[in-house]
Structure formats: C-alpha cells, structure tokens
Coordinates of all heavy atoms in Angstrom, one line a residue:
M1 N 15.0 73.1 -11.3 CA 14.7 71.8 -11.9 C 13.9 71.9 -13.1 O 13.3 73.0 -13.4 CB 13.9 71.0 -10.8 CG 14.7 70.9 -9.5 SD 14.0 69.6 -8.4 CE 15.1 68.3 -8.7
V2 N 13.9 70.9 -13.9 CA 13.2 70.9 -15.2 C 11.8 70.3 -15.0 O 11.6 69.2 -14.6 CB 13.9 70.0 -16.2 CG1 13.2 70.1 -17.6 CG2 15.4 70.5 -16.3
P3 N 10.7 71.1 -15.2 CA 9.4 70.6 -15.0 C 9.0 69.5 -16.1 O 9.3 69.6 -17.2 CB 8.5 71.9 -15.2 CG 9.3 72.9 -15.9 CD 10.8 72.5 -15.7
I4 N 8.3 68.5 -15.6 CA 7.8 67.4 -16.5 C 6.4 67.0 -15.9 O 6.2 67.0 -14.7 CB 8.8 66.3 -16.5 CG1 8.5 65.3 -17.6 CG2 9.0 65.6 -15.1 CD1 9.6 64.2 -17.8
S5 N 5.5 66.6 -16.8 CA 4.2 66.1 -16.3 C 4.4 64.7 -15.8 O 5.3 63.9 -16.2 CB 3.2 66.1 -17.4 OG 3.5 65.2 -18.4
I6 N 3.4 64.2 -15.0 CA 3.5 62.9 -14.4 C 3.5 61.9 -15.6 O 4.3 61.0 -15.6 CB 2.3 62.6 -13.5 CG1 2.5 63.4 -12.2 CG2 2.1 61.1 -13.2 CD1 1.4 63.2 -11.1
E7 N 2.6 62.1 -16.6 CA 2.5 61.1 -17.7 C 3.8 61.0 -18.5 O 4.3 59.9 -18.8 CB 1.4 61.5 -18.6 CG 0.0 61.1 -18.1 CD 0.0 59.6 -17.7 OE1 0.4 58.7 -18.5 OE2 -0.4 59.3 -16.5
A8 N 4.4 62.2 -18.7 CA 5.7 62.2 -19.5 C 6.8 61.5 -18.7 O 7.6 60.7 -19.3 CB 6.1 63.6 -19.8
F9 N 6.8 61.7 -17.4 CA 7.8 61.1 -16.6 C 7.6 59.6 -16.5 O 8.6 58.8 -16.6 CB 7.9 61.7 -15.2 CG 9.0 61.0 -14.4 CD1 10.3 61.4 -14.6 CD2 8.7 60.0 -13.5 CE1 11.3 60.7 -13.9 CE2 9.7 59.4 -12.8 CZ 11.0 59.7 -13.0
V10 N 6.4 59.2 -16.4 CA 6.1 57.7 -16.3 C 6.6 57.0 -17.6 O 7.2 56.0 -17.5 CB 4.6 57.5 -16.0 CG1 4.2 56.0 -16.3 CG2 4.2 57.9 -14.6
N11 N 6.2 57.6 -18.7 CA 6.6 57.1 -20.0 C 8.2 56.9 -20.1 O 8.7 55.9 -20.5 CB 6.1 57.9 -21.2 CG 4.6 57.8 -21.3 OD1 4.1 56.7 -20.9 ND2 4.0 58.8 -21.9
K12 N 8.8 58.0 -19.7 CA 10.3 58.1 -19.8 C 10.9 57.1 -18.9 O 11.8 56.3 -19.3 CB 10.7 59.5 -19.4 CG 12.0 60.0 -19.9 CD 12.1 61.4 -19.3 CE 13.3 62.2 -19.7 NZ 13.6 62.1 -21.1
H13 N 10.5 57.1 -17.7 CA 11.1 56.2 -16.6 C 10.8 54.7 -17.0 O 11.7 53.9 -16.8 CB 10.5 56.5 -15.3 CG 11.1 55.8 -14.1 ND1 12.4 56.2 -13.6 CD2 10.8 54.7 -13.5 CE1 12.7 55.3 -12.7 NE2 11.8 54.4 -12.5
C14 N 9.6 54.4 -17.4 CA 9.3 53.0 -17.7 C 10.0 52.5 -19.0 O 10.3 51.3 -19.1 CB 7.8 52.8 -17.8 SG 7.1 53.0 -16.2
K15 N 10.4 53.4 -19.8 CA 11.2 53.0 -21.0 C 12.6 52.6 -20.6 O 13.1 51.6 -21.1 CB 11.3 54.2 -21.9 CG 11.2 53.9 -23.4 CD 11.1 55.2 -24.1 CE 11.3 55.0 -25.6 NZ 11.2 56.3 -26.3
N16 N 13.1 53.4 -19.6 CA 14.5 53.1 -19.1 C 14.5 51.9 -18.1 O 15.5 51.3 -17.9 CB 15.1 54.3 -18.5 CG 15.3 55.4 -19.5 OD1 15.5 55.2 -20.6 ND2 15.2 56.7 -19.0
N17 N 13.3 51.7 -17.5 CA 13.2 50.7 -16.4 C 12.0 49.8 -16.7 O 11.0 50.0 -16.1 CB 13.1 51.3 -15.0 CG 14.2 52.3 -14.7 OD1 15.2 51.9 -14.3 ND2 14.0 53.6 -15.0
P18 N 12.2 48.8 -17.7 CA 11.1 48.0 -18.1 C 10.4 47.2 -17.0 O 9.2 46.8 -17.2 CB 11.7 47.1 -19.1 CG 13.0 47.6 -19.5 CD 13.5 48.5 -18.3
E19 N 11.1 47.0 -15.9 CA 10.5 46.2 -14.8 C 9.5 47.0 -14.0 O 8.8 46.5 -13.2 CB 11.6 45.5 -14.0 CG 12.3 46.4 -13.0 CD 13.3 47.4 -13.6 OE1 13.5 47.3 -14.9 OE2 13.8 48.2 -12.9
E20 N 9.6 48.3 -14.2 CA 8.7 49.2 -13.4 C 7.3 49.1 -13.8 O 7.0 49.0 -15.0 CB 9.2 50.7 -13.5 CG 8.7 51.6 -12.5 CD 9.5 51.7 -11.2 OE1 10.7 51.9 -11.2 OE2 8.8 51.4 -10.2
N21 N 6.4 49.1 -12.8 CA 4.9 49.1 -13.1 C 4.4 50.5 -13.2 O 4.4 51.3 -12.3 CB 4.2 48.3 -11.9 CG 2.7 48.3 -12.1 OD1 2.2 49.1 -12.9 ND2 2.1 47.5 -11.3
P22 N 4.0 50.9 -14.5 CA 3.5 52.3 -14.7 C 2.4 52.7 -13.8 O 2.4 53.9 -13.3 CB 3.1 52.3 -16.1 CG 3.5 51.0 -16.7 CD 3.8 50.1 -15.6
N23 N 1.5 51.8 -13.5 CA 0.3 52.2 -12.7 C 0.8 52.5 -11.2 O 0.3 53.5 -10.6 CB -0.7 51.1 -12.7 CG -1.4 51.0 -14.0 OD1 -1.5 52.0 -14.7 ND2 -1.7 49.8 -14.4
Q24 N 1.7 51.7 -10.7 CA 2.2 51.9 -9.4 C 3.0 53.2 -9.3 O 2.8 54.0 -8.4 CB 3.0 50.7 -9.0 CG 3.6 50.8 -7.5 CD 2.4 50.8 -6.5 OE1 1.5 50.0 -6.6 NE2 2.5 51.7 -5.6
L25 N 3.8 53.4 -10.3 CA 4.6 54.6 -10.4 C 3.8 55.9 -10.4 O 4.0 56.8 -9.7 CB 5.6 54.5 -11.6 CG 6.5 55.8 -11.8 CD1 7.5 55.9 -10.6 CD2 7.3 55.6 -13.1
R26 N 2.7 55.8 -11.2 CA 1.8 57.0 -11.4 C 1.2 57.3 -10.0 O 1.1 58.4 -9.6 CB 0.8 56.6 -12.4 CG 0.0 57.8 -13.0 CD -0.9 57.4 -14.1 NE -0.2 57.0 -15.3 CZ -0.3 55.9 -15.9 NH1 -1.0 54.9 -15.4 NH2 0.3 55.6 -17.0
K27 N 0.8 56.2 -9.3 CA 0.2 56.3 -8.0 C 1.2 56.9 -7.0 O 0.8 57.8 -6.2 CB -0.3 54.9 -7.6 CG -1.5 54.9 -6.6 CD -1.9 53.5 -6.3 CE -2.0 53.3 -4.8 NZ -1.8 52.0 -4.4
D28 N 2.4 56.4 -7.0 CA 3.4 56.9 -6.1 C 3.7 58.4 -6.4 O 4.0 59.2 -5.5 CB 4.7 56.1 -6.2 CG 4.5 54.7 -5.7 OD1 3.5 54.5 -4.9 OD2 5.3 53.8 -6.0
L29 N 3.8 58.7 -7.7 CA 4.1 60.1 -8.0 C 3.0 61.1 -7.5 O 3.2 62.1 -7.0 CB 4.2 60.3 -9.5 CG 5.6 59.8 -10.1 CD1 5.5 59.6 -11.6 CD2 6.7 60.7 -9.8
K30 N 1.7 60.6 -7.7 CA 0.6 61.5 -7.3 C 0.7 61.7 -5.8 O 0.4 62.8 -5.3 CB -0.7 60.8 -7.7 CG -1.0 61.1 -9.1 CD -2.4 60.6 -9.5 CE -2.6 60.9 -11.0 NZ -3.6 60.0 -11.6
Q31 N 1.0 60.6 -5.1 CA 1.1 60.7 -3.6 C 2.3 61.7 -3.2 O 2.1 62.5 -2.3 CB 1.3 59.3 -3.0 CG 1.4 59.3 -1.5 CD 0.1 59.8 -0.9 OE1 -1.0 59.4 -1.2 NE2 0.3 60.8 0.1
A32 N 3.4 61.5 -3.9 CA 4.6 62.4 -3.6 C 4.3 63.8 -3.9 O 4.7 64.7 -3.1 CB 5.8 61.9 -4.4
V33 N 3.6 64.1 -5.0 CA 3.2 65.5 -5.3 C 2.3 66.0 -4.2 O 2.5 67.2 -3.8 CB 2.5 65.5 -6.7 CG1 1.7 66.8 -6.9 CG2 3.5 65.3 -7.8
K34 N 1.4 65.2 -3.8 CA 0.5 65.6 -2.7 C 1.3 65.9 -1.4 O 1.0 67.0 -0.8 CB -0.5 64.5 -2.5 CG -1.9 65.0 -1.9 CD -2.8 63.8 -2.0 CE -3.5 63.6 -0.6 NZ -4.2 62.3 -0.6
D35 N 2.2 65.1 -1.1 CA 3.0 65.2 0.1 C 3.8 66.5 0.0 O 3.9 67.3 1.0 CB 4.0 64.1 0.2 CG 3.3 62.8 0.7 OD1 2.1 62.9 1.1 OD2 3.9 61.7 0.5
K36 N 4.4 66.8 -1.2 CA 5.2 68.0 -1.3 C 4.4 69.2 -1.2 O 4.8 70.2 -0.6 CB 5.9 68.0 -2.7 CG 6.9 69.2 -2.8 CD 7.8 69.0 -4.0 CE 8.7 70.2 -4.1 NZ 9.7 70.2 -5.3
K37 N 3.1 69.2 -1.8 CA 2.2 70.3 -1.7 C 1.9 70.6 -0.2 O 1.6 71.7 0.2 CB 0.9 70.1 -2.5 CG 1.1 70.3 -3.9 CD -0.2 70.1 -4.6 CE -0.1 70.4 -6.1 NZ -1.2 69.9 -6.9
N38 N 1.8 69.5 0.6 CA 1.5 69.6 2.0 C 2.7 70.0 2.8 O 2.6 70.0 4.1 CB 0.9 68.3 2.5 CG -0.5 68.1 2.0 OD1 -1.2 69.0 1.6 ND2 -1.0 66.8 1.9
G39 N 3.8 70.2 2.2 CA 5.0 70.7 2.9 C 5.8 69.6 3.6 O 6.5 69.9 4.5
E40 N 5.7 68.4 3.0 CA 6.5 67.3 3.6 C 8.0 67.6 3.5 O 8.4 68.2 2.4 CB 6.1 66.1 2.8 CG 6.4 64.8 3.5 CD 5.4 64.6 4.7 OE1 4.2 64.6 4.5 OE2 5.9 64.4 5.8
T41 N 8.7 67.3 4.5 CA 10.2 67.6 4.4 C 11.0 66.4 4.5 O 10.6 65.3 5.0 CB 10.6 68.6 5.6 OG1 10.1 68.0 6.8 CG2 10.0 69.9 5.4
C42 N 12.3 66.5 4.1 CA 13.2 65.4 4.1 C 13.5 65.0 5.6 O 13.8 65.8 6.4 CB 14.5 65.9 3.5 SG 15.9 64.8 3.6
F43 N 13.5 63.7 5.8 CA 13.7 63.2 7.2 C 15.1 63.4 7.6 O 15.4 63.5 8.8 CB 13.3 61.7 7.3 CG 14.4 60.8 6.5 CD1 15.5 60.3 7.2 CD2 14.2 60.6 5.2 CE1 16.4 59.6 6.6 CE2 15.2 59.8 4.5 CZ 16.3 59.3 5.2
N44 N 16.0 63.6 6.7 CA 17.4 63.7 7.0 C 17.8 65.1 7.3 O 18.6 65.4 8.2 CB 18.2 63.1 5.8 CG 19.6 63.0 6.1 OD1 20.0 62.6 7.2 ND2 20.5 63.3 5.1
C45 N 17.4 66.1 6.4 CA 17.9 67.5 6.5 C 16.9 68.5 6.7 O 17.2 69.7 6.9 CB 18.8 67.8 5.3 SG 17.9 68.0 3.8
G46 N 15.6 68.1 6.5 CA 14.5 69.1 6.7 C 14.2 70.0 5.5 O 13.3 70.8 5.6
Q47 N 14.8 69.8 4.4 CA 14.5 70.5 3.2 C 13.2 69.9 2.6 O 12.9 68.8 2.9 CB 15.6 70.4 2.2 CG 16.8 71.3 2.4 CD 17.6 71.3 1.1 OE1 17.3 72.0 0.1 NE2 18.7 70.6 1.1
E48 N 12.5 70.7 1.7 CA 11.3 70.1 1.1 C 11.7 68.9 0.2 O 12.8 68.8 -0.3 CB 10.6 71.1 0.3 CG 11.2 71.6 -1.0 CD 10.4 72.6 -1.7 OE1 9.3 73.0 -1.2 OE2 10.8 73.0 -2.8
I49 N 10.8 67.9 0.1 CA 11.1 66.7 -0.6 C 11.2 66.9 -2.1 O 10.6 67.9 -2.7 CB 10.1 65.6 -0.3 CG1 8.7 66.0 -0.7 CG2 10.2 65.2 1.1 CD1 7.7 64.9 -0.8
W50 N 11.8 66.0 -2.8 CA 11.9 65.9 -4.2 C 10.8 64.9 -4.6 O 11.0 63.7 -4.3 CB 13.3 65.5 -4.7 CG 13.5 65.3 -6.1 CD1 12.9 66.0 -7.2 CD2 14.4 64.4 -6.8 NE1 13.4 65.6 -8.4 CE2 14.3 64.6 -8.2 CE3 15.3 63.4 -6.3 CZ2 15.0 63.8 -9.1 CZ3 16.0 62.7 -7.2 CH2 15.9 62.9 -8.6
A51 N 9.7 65.3 -5.3 CA 8.6 64.4 -5.5 C 9.0 63.2 -6.4 O 8.6 62.1 -6.1 CB 7.5 65.2 -6.2
I52 N 9.8 63.4 -7.4 CA 10.1 62.3 -8.3 C 11.0 61.3 -7.5 O 10.7 60.1 -7.5 CB 10.9 62.8 -9.6 CG1 9.8 63.4 -10.5 CG2 11.6 61.6 -10.2 CD1 10.4 64.0 -11.8
G53 N 12.0 61.8 -6.8 CA 12.9 60.9 -6.1 C 12.1 60.2 -5.0 O 12.4 59.0 -4.7
S54 N 11.2 60.9 -4.4 CA 10.4 60.3 -3.3 C 9.5 59.2 -3.8 O 9.2 58.2 -3.1 CB 9.6 61.3 -2.6 OG 10.4 62.3 -2.1
A55 N 9.0 59.3 -5.1 CA 8.2 58.2 -5.7 C 9.0 57.0 -6.1 O 8.7 55.9 -5.9 CB 7.4 58.8 -6.9
V56 N 10.2 57.3 -6.7 CA 11.0 56.2 -7.2 C 11.8 55.5 -6.1 O 12.0 54.3 -6.1 CB 12.0 56.8 -8.3 CG1 13.0 55.8 -8.7 CG2 11.2 57.4 -9.4
A57 N 12.3 56.3 -5.1 CA 13.1 55.7 -4.1 C 12.4 55.8 -2.7 O 11.6 55.0 -2.4 CB 14.5 56.4 -4.0
Y58 N 12.7 56.8 -2.0 CA 12.1 57.0 -0.7 C 12.0 58.5 -0.4 O 12.6 59.3 -1.0 CB 12.8 56.3 0.5 CG 14.3 56.7 0.5 CD1 14.7 57.8 1.3 CD2 15.2 56.0 -0.2 CE1 16.1 58.1 1.4 CE2 16.6 56.3 -0.1 CZ 17.0 57.4 0.6 OH 18.3 57.7 0.7
Q59 N 11.1 58.9 0.5 CA 10.8 60.3 0.8 C 12.0 61.0 1.3 O 12.4 60.9 2.4 CB 9.6 60.4 1.7 CG 9.1 61.8 1.9 CD 7.8 61.8 2.5 OE1 6.9 61.2 2.0 NE2 7.6 62.6 3.5
S60 N 12.6 61.9 0.4 CA 13.7 62.6 0.8 C 13.9 63.8 -0.2 O 13.2 63.9 -1.2 CB 14.9 61.7 0.7 OG 16.1 62.3 1.3
C61 N 14.9 64.7 0.1 CA 15.1 65.8 -0.8 C 16.1 65.4 -1.9 O 16.7 64.4 -1.8 CB 15.6 67.0 0.0 SG 17.3 66.8 0.6
F62 N 16.3 66.3 -2.8 CA 17.1 66.0 -4.0 C 18.6 65.7 -3.5 O 19.2 64.7 -3.9 CB 17.1 67.2 -5.0 CG 18.0 67.0 -6.1 CD1 17.6 66.2 -7.2 CD2 19.3 67.5 -6.1 CE1 18.4 66.0 -8.3 CE2 20.2 67.3 -7.2 CZ 19.7 66.5 -8.3
S63 N 19.1 66.6 -2.7 CA 20.5 66.5 -2.3 C 20.8 65.2 -1.6 O 21.8 64.5 -1.8 CB 21.0 67.6 -1.4 OG 20.5 68.8 -1.9
C64 N 19.9 64.8 -0.7 CA 20.1 63.6 0.1 C 19.9 62.3 -0.8 O 20.6 61.3 -0.5 CB 19.1 63.5 1.3 SG 19.5 64.8 2.6
L65 N 19.0 62.4 -1.7 CA 18.8 61.2 -2.6 C 19.9 61.0 -3.6 O 20.3 59.9 -3.9 CB 17.5 61.3 -3.3 CG 16.3 60.8 -2.6 CD1 15.0 61.3 -3.3 CD2 16.3 59.3 -2.5
T66 N 20.5 62.1 -4.1 CA 21.4 62.0 -5.2 C 22.8 62.3 -4.8 O 23.8 62.0 -5.5 CB 21.1 63.0 -6.4 OG1 21.2 64.3 -5.8 CG2 19.7 62.8 -6.9
G67 N 23.0 63.0 -3.7 CA 24.3 63.4 -3.2 C 24.9 64.6 -4.0 O 26.0 64.9 -3.9
E68 N 24.0 65.2 -4.8 CA 24.4 66.3 -5.6 C 23.7 67.6 -5.1 O 22.6 67.5 -4.7 CB 24.1 66.1 -7.1 CG 24.9 65.0 -7.7 CD 24.4 64.7 -9.1 OE1 23.8 65.6 -9.7 OE2 24.6 63.5 -9.5
A69 N 24.4 68.7 -5.3 CA 23.7 70.0 -4.9 C 23.0 70.6 -6.1 O 22.1 71.4 -5.9 CB 24.8 70.9 -4.3
D70 N 23.5 70.3 -7.3 CA 23.0 71.0 -8.5 C 21.8 70.2 -9.0 O 22.0 69.1 -9.6 CB 24.1 71.1 -9.5 CG 23.6 71.8 -10.8 OD1 22.5 72.4 -10.7 OD2 24.3 71.8 -11.8
S71 N 20.6 70.7 -9.0 CA 19.4 70.0 -9.5 C 18.9 70.6 -10.8 O 17.8 70.3 -11.2 CB 18.3 70.0 -8.4 OG 17.9 71.4 -8.1
S72 N 19.7 71.5 -11.4 CA 19.2 72.3 -12.5 C 18.9 71.5 -13.7 O 18.1 71.9 -14.5 CB 20.2 73.4 -12.9 OG 21.4 72.9 -13.1
E73 N 19.5 70.3 -13.8 CA 19.2 69.5 -15.0 C 18.4 68.3 -14.7 O 18.2 67.4 -15.5 CB 20.5 69.0 -15.7 CG 21.2 70.2 -16.4 CD 22.6 69.8 -16.9 OE1 23.0 68.6 -16.8 OE2 23.3 70.7 -17.4
D74 N 17.8 68.2 -13.5 CA 17.0 67.1 -13.1 C 15.5 67.4 -13.2 O 15.2 68.6 -13.0 CB 17.4 66.6 -11.8 CG 18.8 65.9 -11.8 OD1 18.8 64.7 -12.1 OD2 19.8 66.6 -11.7
Y75 N 14.7 66.4 -13.4 CA 13.3 66.6 -13.5 C 12.6 66.7 -12.2 O 13.0 66.1 -11.2 CB 12.7 65.4 -14.3 CG 13.0 65.4 -15.7 CD1 13.9 64.4 -16.2 CD2 12.6 66.3 -16.6 CE1 14.2 64.3 -17.5 CE2 12.9 66.3 -17.9 CZ 13.8 65.3 -18.4 OH 14.1 65.2 -19.7
E76 N 11.5 67.5 -12.2 CA 10.6 67.5 -11.1 C 9.2 67.6 -11.7 O 9.0 68.2 -12.8 CB 10.8 68.7 -10.1 CG 9.9 68.8 -9.0 CD 9.8 67.6 -8.1 OE1 9.5 66.5 -8.6 OE2 9.9 67.7 -6.8
I77 N 8.2 67.0 -11.1 CA 6.8 67.1 -11.6 C 6.4 68.6 -11.7 O 6.5 69.3 -10.7 CB 5.9 66.3 -10.7 CG1 6.3 64.8 -10.7 CG2 4.4 66.4 -11.2 CD1 6.4 64.1 -12.1
N78 N 5.8 68.9 -12.8 CA 5.5 70.3 -13.1 C 4.7 71.0 -12.0 O 4.9 72.2 -11.6 CB 4.8 70.5 -14.5 CG 3.7 69.6 -14.7 OD1 3.2 68.9 -13.8 ND2 3.2 69.5 -15.9
E79 N 3.7 70.3 -11.4 CA 2.8 71.0 -10.4 C 3.6 71.4 -9.2 O 3.1 72.3 -8.4 CB 1.6 70.2 -10.0 CG 1.2 69.2 -10.9 CD 0.1 68.3 -10.2 OE1 -0.6 68.7 -9.3 OE2 -0.1 67.2 -10.7
V80 N 4.7 70.7 -8.9 CA 5.4 71.1 -7.7 C 6.8 71.5 -8.0 O 7.7 71.5 -7.1 CB 5.4 69.9 -6.7 CG1 4.0 69.7 -6.1 CG2 5.9 68.6 -7.3
C81 N 7.1 71.9 -9.2 CA 8.4 72.3 -9.6 C 8.5 73.9 -9.4 O 8.4 74.6 -10.3 CB 8.7 72.0 -11.1 SG 10.4 72.4 -11.6
W82 N 8.8 74.2 -8.2 CA 8.8 75.7 -7.9 C 10.1 76.1 -7.4 O 10.3 77.3 -7.0 CB 7.6 76.0 -6.9 CG 7.6 75.1 -5.7 CD1 8.6 74.8 -4.9 CD2 6.5 74.4 -5.2 NE1 8.2 74.0 -3.9 CE2 6.9 73.7 -4.1 CE3 5.1 74.3 -5.7 CZ2 6.0 72.9 -3.3 CZ3 4.3 73.5 -4.9 CH2 4.7 72.8 -3.8
S83 N 11.1 75.3 -7.4 CA 12.4 75.7 -6.9 C 13.5 75.3 -7.9 O 13.3 74.5 -8.8 CB 12.8 75.2 -5.6 OG 12.7 73.8 -5.6
Ligands
ZN101 ZN1 17.6 66.0 2.7

C-alpha cells in the first residue's frame, strides 16, 4: 500500500468529498490507526483491518471493503502501513 499521513489523507479526501467533516474524519482515522496497532481484525475474514477504509466506511480489511485483492496502489496511513 502507499503510505500517507493522516493530515494529507484528510485534505485529499475532503477535497473529493466536500460534505465530509474533516475533524470527524481525523478522529475516525486516529481511532482506526489505534485499532490496527492493537491488532484489530476484519469481522468477515480475520485479516488485519485497513485503517483508511475502516475510518471512511466500517471496520474491515482492504479486500472485504473494496472487493479487490491488489492494494498496491491504494493508500494506508503511514504509521500502520506495514504490508
Ligand atoms: Zn476481510
């Protein structure tokens, strides 16, 4: 995955989604990062969660959220971008 900072992602996402509340998104991302660090897993398949997807949608892994296996071009928050 492509590492990105929380701030950079919030800016990017809110530009594309003007109705999104940056403060809420930042808070959700911090929580998702914390959850991933704590080893939170996908409720569906048991893989580790995707912090960005979990903040934007619901707590799940990349494959279950997007239906794609290839995550090489998708963003993940830098502190938890280890796969
Ligand atoms: Zn999953």
Side-chain angles (χ1 to χ4, degrees):
M1 302 193 102
V2 182
I4 189 169
S5 70
I6 287 183
E7 280 312 307
F9 181 77
V10 168
N11 287 336
K12 206 178 180 46
H13 186 79
C14 290
K15 218 171 169 183
N16 297 331
N17 304 275
E19 77 287 356
E20 194 83 56
N21 176 345
N23 293 327
Q24 184 61 45
L25 179 62
R26 199 175 286 120
K27 208 175 130 210
D28 290 343
L29 282 166
K30 281 185 180 156
Q31 183 60 49
V33 162
K34 206 168 129 193
D35 289 343
K36 186 167 177 181
K37 280 183 179 163
N38 287 335
E40 205 67 56
T41 52
C42 173
F43 70 92
N44 189 41
C45 72
Q47 282 195 74
E48 72 180 1
I49 59 166
W50 178 31
I52 286 179
S54 300
V56 173
Y58 53 90
Q59 189 163 306
S60 191
C61 71
F62 179 83
S63 319
C64 291
L65 275 168
T66 63
E68 291 170 29
D70 182 14
S71 62
S72 55
E73 287 176 4
D74 288 272
Y75 290 111
E76 178 59 305
I77 299 303
N78 50 12
E79 338 172 19
V80 290
C81 186
W82 49 53
S83 55

